[in-house]
Amino acid sequence: MNGGPTGIEDLLRHHAPQVLGALVRRYGHFDTAEDAVQEALIAAYRQWPAEGLPDNPRGWLIRTASRRLTDQLRRDTARQRREETAAALTPRDAFTAPPPGESRAPAADDTLTLLFLCCRPELSPAAQIALTLRAVGGLTTAEIARAHLVPEATMAQRISRAKHKVRGVPFRRPGPDDHDSRLAAVLQVLYLIFNEGYTATSGSDLHRADLAGEAIRLTRAVRGLLPRDGRVTGLLALMLLTEARSGARSGPHGELVPLDEQDRALWDGAAIGEGTALVEEALSQGPAGAYQLQAAIAALHDEAARAEDTDWPQILALYDLLVRRGPDPMAELGRAVALAMVEGPRAGLDAVTALEDRLAGHHRLDAVRAHLLDEAGDTGPARSAYLRAADHTLSAPEAHYLRMRAARLPPPPAG
């Protein structure tokens, strides 16, 4: 294991949810336990580079965090009796690290339980994402605040409110009756985190590799626990196949490069190979859901050696299946693009027009409309639509690209 700063940081992020799970399961104080784990992670980051990795890093972290937690409980006189009760019920060896290679706590189950805890339905999506990145992803409040382009104090307040809402919630996985709905929330949060990383919704950067990579890492952890769940397999496949293109999405100055103009030699062949294999596996794991279908669409894009080799009829057929599952305006917008590639831009424009009420003011609707008008030769309306899309997006690279497209087209005639 790499003992340098990067290797230690990866190791700490790997162990963070396991350590937090062990403490929450033992004491039940989510907020206090999470603070203690953060202190232990900071101590490890400071000590391990100089002193070397301990034989059992997770045991070291559990022991250190437990000491910090009990110190905090001792300082809180109102909890004195609770602390004594917890100590009396704690096994004698609870604060000692197990031998190397052995584990006292079910770390994998703890990771999934933490994901379920962070994605409780009473939390808003923003709170779910923030709490997941902090508790399961091991990111600091400052890192999460930077990722969401908000002040650290604002993010600290958001996380604090979320921790308050889960205070006292039993640390256990949901039962069979609500497993499906809760897993759906977990996967949705991971998908949102990935999307924000792959295409940042605001700011100067098009791609946030740290967020996209964290979403993939956490989804791998969920799949390790639920390897035969087609939704989980499909989501991991979708992430890998999409992220595989990230190296070709930006030009030398950070400008956006659209899919049909990307240098496909820059795509990650290993990620495409793994993602394609996972798509086949996901489609064999029961009825195809949204993640499996989206992953299959991504695979068809990635398997085309050239943009003109893309199997658009098959992509359109997959979009047809996707939109039949339920109302999803963004999926229908993707279908409009596929329809235009198969039947021409006018057919795509008709489909875009049908989405105006549900996507009014969304920059992606105007961006797709502009592209299809451009393809149809309606340069004046296309220019106006590009500029509207640029005005509505908060992403600087996307706005720059859209204005560049508009600048290529002649302005409407005067008078």
Side-chain angles (χ1 to χ4, degrees):
M1 177 74 68
N2 179 8
T6 301
I8 288 176
E9 185 175 345
D10 291 342
L11 185 65
L12 293 177
R13 286 189 174 177
H14 171 73
H15 286 304
Q18 305 168 12
V19 176
L20 179 57
L23 264 67
V24 175
R25 183 163 33 80
R26 184 177 298 159
Y27 297 103
H29 300 277
F30 181 92
D31 49 350
T32 311
E34 200 272 339
D35 291 339
V37 171
Q38 290 298 318
E39 291 183 19
L41 294 173
I42 292 171
Y45 194 79
R46 289 173 177 169
Q47 295 179 32
W48 290 1
E51 301 176 6
L53 296 179
D55 291 336
N56 187 338
R58 190 169 72 89
W60 188 99
L61 290 167
I62 290 175
R63 183 171 64 251
T64 302
S66 295
R67 287 172 177 166
R68 302 293 173 95
L69 178 59
T70 54
D71 286 346
Q72 175 62 35
L73 292 177
R74 288 192 185 96
R75 288 192 296 267
D76 189 347
T77 56
R79 294 180 180 175
Q80 185 65 39
R81 180 175 299 176
R82 196 173 194 176
E83 178 201 359
E84 293 171 353
T85 302
L89 295 174
T90 299
R92 183 173 298 178
D93 64 345
F95 300 117
T96 61
E102 294 185 14
S103 172
R104 185 177 295 118
D109 285 347
D110 282 350
T111 299
L112 188 59
T113 303
L114 275 176
L115 277 167
F116 279 125
L117 185 65
C118 294
C119 297
R120 290 184 63 82
E122 58 264 35
L123 298 177
S124 69
Q128 290 175 339
I129 291 173
L131 195 58
T132 298
L133 287 174
R134 176 67 183 262
V136 188
L139 275 65
T140 66
T141 302
E143 288 174 323
I144 301 170
R146 284 196 299 271
H148 287 80
L149 302 178
V150 299
E152 184 175 350
T154 301
M155 184 55 66
Q157 204 172 45
R158 184 180 300 173
I159 293 173
S160 178
R161 286 195 298 265
K163 289 194 289 187
H164 180 76
K165 286 188 176 181
V166 301
R167 182 181 299 166
V169 175
F171 188 74
R172 60 171 180 264
R173 289 172 62 176
D177 291 343
D178 57 357
H179 177 272
D180 283 349
S181 61
R182 294 288 295 280
L183 178 61
V186 167
L187 297 182
Q188 178 66 10
V189 165
L190 295 177
Y191 187 41
L192 290 172
I193 292 171
F194 175 79
N195 282 339
E196 181 61 28
Y198 186 72
T199 302
T201 54
S202 59
S204 59
D205 295 326
L206 178 66
H207 182 244
R208 295 175 182 166
D210 56 342
L211 280 183
E214 192 61 22
I216 291 172
R217 185 185 74 82
L218 294 176
T219 307
R220 284 192 188 279
V222 176
R223 184 170 182 268
L225 302 169
L226 301 170
R228 289 179 291 277
D229 191 296
R231 294 167 297 178
V232 180
T233 305
L235 179 57
L236 179 57
L238 174 60
M239 290 179 177
L240 290 171
L241 290 163
T242 305
E243 181 66 9
R245 308 180 206 130
S246 61
R249 292 179 68 232
S250 299
H253 304 293
E255 67 274 18
L256 184 151
V257 180
L259 181 62
D260 61 344
E261 297 177 15
Q262 290 175 14
D263 180 357
R264 300 187 177 214
L266 298 177
W267 289 1
D268 186 339
I272 292 172
E274 182 184 2
T276 302
L278 287 172
V279 170
E280 295 176 0
E281 186 176 339
L283 293 175
S284 70
Q285 293 174 326
Y291 296 128
Q292 296 97 309
L293 291 171
Q294 290 180 75
I297 291 170
L300 288 170
H301 281 297
D302 288 8
E303 289 171 347
R306 302 173 303 166
E308 54 267 34
D309 297 331
T310 305
D311 189 347
W312 284 107
Q314 182 63 22
I315 289 175
L316 178 59
L318 289 169
Y319 268 119
D320 284 340
L321 292 174
L322 188 59
V323 299
R324 283 184 205 141
R325 291 181 48 81
D328 182 347
M330 297 309 294
E332 292 182 47
L333 191 60
R335 181 187 177 276
V337 174
L339 182 64
M341 296 302 295
V342 174
E343 298 184 11
R346 294 295 176 192
L349 283 167
D350 289 342
V352 167
T353 300
L355 292 169
E356 284 182 347
D357 290 342
R358 285 181 288 165
L359 289 176
H362 198 295
H363 76 279
R364 296 205 185 281
L365 181 72
D366 276 323
V368 171
R369 189 202 312 275
H371 171 72
L372 297 181
L373 286 168
D374 195 353
E375 290 291 308
D378 293 345
T379 56
R383 187 178 189 275
S384 299
Y386 276 130
L387 292 175
R388 281 198 308 273
D391 288 341
H392 285 123
T393 182
L394 298 177
S395 167
E398 284 190 337
H400 176 72
Y401 168 76
L402 291 164
R403 290 194 175 97
M404 290 266 303
R405 298 287 299 194
R408 293 171 53 250
L409 301 175

